[in-house]
Amino acid sequence: MNHLVGVWDALHSPKLDKSRSDRWYRYYAGFAPEFVRDVIDEIKPDLDDGVLDPWVGSGTTLSVAASLGYRASGLDLNPAMVVVAKGRLIADDTRSSVQTLRDEILRQWRPVTGSAVSDDPLSHWFDFGGCGLIRGLAQRIDEVLVLDHLTPDGRVQSMSSLAAFFYVALFDSVTSLLKDYRSSNPTWVKGQKIGSGDVVIERPTLESNFKAAVDRLAMYVKKAGALSASTRDLIDIRAGNSRRLPFEASSFGTLISSPPYLTRLDYVVGHRVELAVLGFGDSDIRSLRQQMIGTPTIGGVISKQPLGNAANEFLAAVSSHDSYAAAEYYAPNFRQYFEGMADSLAEANRVTRPGGNIVLVVQDSRFKGIHADLAQCIADMSTQFGWVLTNRSDFTSIRSMAQVNSRAHKDARTLRPIESVLHFVSAAPSNIPATE
Ligand SMILES: C[S@@+](CC[C@H](N)C(=O)[O-])C[C@H]1O[C@@H](n2cnc3c(N)ncnc32)[C@H](O)[C@@H]1O
């Protein structure tokens, strides 16, 4: 498993926006396809064993597993990431029609006007004319790619990989118009009050951005190698919450994933613009942030799962730290993270068959010098399910979010984070601990 470290794409930071043509979509915290290949090579799951990723991100696990012939399922809470992951999966049979469809989309499209755009979430950034243009182009994608769901949720769930491909091109076209709204923290996108956006765009600019984005993404797919149609059909990606997996017990033999880290990255706010393009408004964003594991907000769902020794010790150390807000905000916020992880691991345990393999990649972090050994926290948490940790490999990561965020604590900026690969084998039926 030597291919893990070093895959950390800039999300919104122009400074890091170098190898654009080699990336599917700007995204951070992803692992390399070679890493997933190495893991599968090592584990050698049976071909009828499904592979699960409950935190899909940009979809690396699923595309690699399916290309090796495995049924691959996964979910992500962030609908923008579901579209990003789906769009990467266009197959050979559809790739050849991309240019024709692009021209068909651009041949006849009309801006949306009037009251339909007055409370459009895009008006956090764009004036009403700009909102109408972007909304009109999105509606045209729906029309050409036959997406007739009226709700943003329905549209994301039913979106084909081809439609998602064009939505990713639209994300790219729109976000590139908002460079001034990016901050030094790549997961934070500023915006005005709804209805007060003042970015003006011209139709030809949006059209040429869209054309260029479609061509660049098509080039990426060509270089990466489009999937065969039969491979694509092995993949099932849905929007959903890892705390309630929509799968039957023992549905998968292998789980390969990278859960959210304890770094209070706001994956939802980082994709506010993409979510607005999909039609998600402020109340949807609030609700997604509440459900997101690792969110900086407080007040999410409480869990009754035990958190394990390492997490409890870390929480006790944070609570008793004398810095401002340590006990009032940081300790409850970190507790919420561990509760989300504990519920998700319980679900992972339920849907993984006894004796199955679970491979998780996590990164450590620090709070004011207190070390959070997340790998140990997860290992302790998993003992209640009878999982056996067969291997832990630690690597020094080349970059962390904290190093980009100038407001992060100096320790977090100077110490290189450790990335750990944990390999567990879930309990064989005879070893499953009795529950009360
Ligand atoms: C570290 S990233 C996964 C990266 C992925 N392995 C890749 O290669 O791109 C973690 C993902 O978990 C998602 N997430 C956070 N909370 C979630 C939840 N409750 N349910 C499902 N996904 C969640 C985030 O949206 C984010 O995409």
Side-chain angles (χ1 to χ4, degrees):
M1 299 184 194
N2 297 325
H3 287 110
L4 166 69
V5 189
V7 182
W8 189 100
D9 277 345
L11 179 65
H12 289 297
S13 172
K15 269 187 289 191
L16 296 165
D17 205 14
K18 290 212 178 84
S19 53
R20 219 166 156 254
S21 64
D22 293 337
R23 282 208 311 271
W24 167 242
Y25 192 68
R26 56 210 162 75
Y27 187 62
Y28 45 87
F31 41 50
E34 291 77 8
F35 166 72
V36 180
R37 228 166 271 139
D38 282 0
V39 170
I40 292 181
D41 212 40
E42 204 162 293
I43 294 175
K44 298 194 182 25
D46 289 344
L47 258 190
D48 52 2
D49 249 2
V51 174
L52 170 68
D53 184 349
W55 301 283
V56 161
S58 59
T60 315
T61 296
L62 303 185
S63 58
V64 173
S67 69
L68 298 171
Y70 295 92
R71 170 176 59 85
S73 309
L75 42 128
D76 201 287
L77 189 70
N78 183 351
M81 284 322 293
V82 171
V83 172
V84 167
K86 279 189 181 182
R88 181 176 168 179
L89 304 175
I90 59 168
D92 267 346
D93 59 342
T94 43
R95 195 174 64 82
S96 52
S97 47
V98 161
Q99 310 299 338
T100 320
L101 285 167
R102 181 199 72 179
D103 295 343
E104 179 58 26
I105 289 167
L106 289 175
R107 200 166 54 83
Q108 267 184 10
W109 69 283
R110 281 184 313 278
V112 171
T113 50
S115 63
V117 291
S118 61
D119 59 352
D120 193 306
L122 288 164
S123 68
H124 281 295
W125 304 278
F126 296 97
D127 71 354
F128 289 145
C131 295
L133 284 167
I134 298 165
R135 200 53 70 207
L137 193 50
Q139 287 185 2
R140 180 70 183 145
I141 296 175
D142 293 354
E143 205 172 281
V144 173
L145 277 302
V146 209
L147 274 169
D148 50 12
H149 280 272
L150 295 176
T151 67
D153 274 325
R155 195 182 297 118
V156 169
Q157 293 294 25
S158 64
M159 201 179 276
S160 67
S161 52
L162 193 56
F165 175 92
F166 286 103
Y167 261 99
V168 176
L170 187 57
F171 292 168
D172 198 88
S173 324
V174 173
T175 53
S176 64
L177 296 164
L178 293 176
K179 292 208 168 73
D180 292 349
Y181 282 81
R182 298 179 191 178
S183 70
S184 62
N185 177 349
T187 57
W188 192 260
V189 185
K190 290 174 272 186
Q192 315 277 2
K193 220 163 99 261
I194 195 149
S196 309
D198 54 7
V199 177
V200 179
I201 43 174
E202 304 293 335
R203 184 178 176 129
T205 311
L206 184 60
E207 288 192 345
S208 73
N209 275 6
F210 185 70
K211 262 192 198 151
V214 169
D215 293 349
R216 183 183 71 74
L217 295 171
M219 184 57 76
Y220 172 93
V221 173
K222 189 171 172 206
K223 266 168 81 186
L227 303 176
S228 68
S230 56
T231 298
R232 180 203 49 209
D233 294 344
L234 289 168
I235 305 179
D236 166 20
I237 302 183
R238 311 178 196 184
N241 194 333
S242 57
R243 295 173 89 151
R244 290 184 303 276
L245 295 175
F247 306 109
E248 306 270 306
S250 303
S251 305
F252 302 94
T254 308
L255 185 158
I256 304 171
S257 195
S258 165
Y261 305 149
L262 192 56
T263 38
R264 297 187 311 110
L265 289 189
D266 202 320
Y267 291 97
V268 173
V269 172
H271 289 101
R272 266 177 91 187
V273 180
E274 290 86 341
L275 289 165
V277 169
L278 291 167
F280 289 95
D282 292 0
S283 61
D284 304 308
I285 300 230
R286 268 193 299 279
S287 147
L288 286 168
R289 291 185 82 199
Q290 287 297 92
Q291 297 174 68
M292 186 72 49
I293 297 175
T295 181
T297 61
I298 313 201
V301 183
I302 291 169
S303 160
K304 294 200 169 61
Q305 295 288 336
L307 304 183
N309 290 342
N312 281 324
E313 278 164 23
F314 173 73
L315 291 175
V318 174
S319 295
S320 55
H321 193 275
D322 57 10
S323 64
Y324 175 71
E328 287 77 18
Y329 168 72
Y330 286 97
N333 178 261
F334 292 142
R335 171 172 294 281
Q336 178 175 284
Y337 168 87
F338 287 121
E339 290 185 352
M341 282 307 295
D343 279 352
S344 304
L345 293 187
E347 276 293 85
N349 183 56
R350 181 182 66 78
V351 303
T352 307
R353 69 162 169 70
N357 289 282
I358 295 140
V359 176
L360 296 174
V361 178
V362 296
Q363 196 179 88
D364 70 348
S365 52
R366 280 163 210 281
F367 171 76
K368 311 267 181 206
I370 306 170
H371 184 217
D373 183 351
L374 189 52
Q376 190 58 50
C377 296
I378 302 248
D380 284 2
M381 216 176 255
S382 74
T383 53
Q384 62 179 302
F385 313 120
W387 292 3
V388 176
L389 180 62
T390 62
N391 190 33
R392 170 178 172 167
S393 308
D394 289 350
F395 304 83
T396 307
S397 180
I398 50 163
R399 229 182 232 141
S400 76
M401 293 309 300
Q403 287 167 320
V404 180
N405 184 356
S406 53
R407 286 177 304 176
H409 186 260
K410 80 171 171 8
D411 277 358
R413 276 184 281 129
T414 49
L415 291 172
R416 290 222 178 152
I418 303 292
E419 214 139 13
S420 308
V421 182
L422 300 169
H423 180 186
F424 299 96
V425 175
S426 72
S430 55
N431 288 335
I432 295 175
T435 46
E436 288 158 25

